[in-house]
Amino acid sequence: VQLQASGGGLVQAGGSLRLSCAASVHDFSNYAMGWFRQAPGKERDFVAAIGWGGATTYYADSVKGRFTISRDNAKNTVYLQMNSLKPEDTAVYYCAARRAYALGVYIETVEYDYWGQGTQVTVSS
């Protein structure tokens, strides 16, 4: 499984960005997906997760109400819509995937088997 993240960039505080993560896998609908982020000198933190069907989602408290995770199984792509961005959202954002055998989401880095290369998001104040 290969994951290609895109959509990062420089935005002013209060602005929006949409990240995309395209997966090269033939049965994408059987994978749970997640977004994580890592700021310089810090650990990789959970941001959002979505189950294989898209009906189940989960968010870190720090982004709840501002970020929305979604997926298009026909396009093998997961998205992260980020609104009301804050300087503290600045980080490299990574998408992750794991085969799912039941409904549910995963929020720990160790639960994911595949990672994208990351895309930089910088929010200026």
Side-chain angles (χ1 to χ4, degrees):
V1 178
Q2 291 186 329
L3 303 174
Q4 181 71 39
S6 62
L10 173 64
V11 64
Q12 288 187 332
S16 299
L17 283 173
R18 188 176 82 153
L19 305 183
S20 300
C21 176
S24 62
V25 63
H26 73 281
D27 58 344
F28 179 70
S29 61
N30 290 329
Y31 284 77
M33 303 295 294
W35 285 98
F36 292 76
R37 66 187 181 187
Q38 188 167 19
K42 295 188 177 181
E43 294 185 349
R44 191 169 297 187
D45 292 330
F46 169 76
V47 175
I50 189 166
W52 60 12
T56 305
T57 58
Y58 191 79
Y59 298 91
D61 287 343
S62 59
V63 307
K64 201 172 296 183
R66 300 187 298 123
F67 291 10
T68 302
I69 188 171
S70 62
R71 66 189 295 160
D72 185 338
N73 286 344
K75 295 183 178 180
N76 283 17
T77 302
V78 63
Y79 305 97
L80 185 68
Q81 177 67 44
M82 306 185 295
N83 298 329
S84 302
L85 282 162
K86 304 176 181 180
E88 51 263 44
D89 294 319
T90 295
V92 177
Y93 283 70
Y94 298 89
C95 59
R98 63 158 290 158
R99 181 171 289 277
Y101 298 97
L103 289 174
V105 295
Y106 304 88
I107 67 172
E108 302 290 342
T109 57
V110 295
E111 295 179 297
Y112 286 89
D113 300 311
Y114 307 99
W115 292 84
Q117 85 288 0
T119 184
Q120 176 71 46
V121 172
T122 303
V123 184
S124 63
S125 57

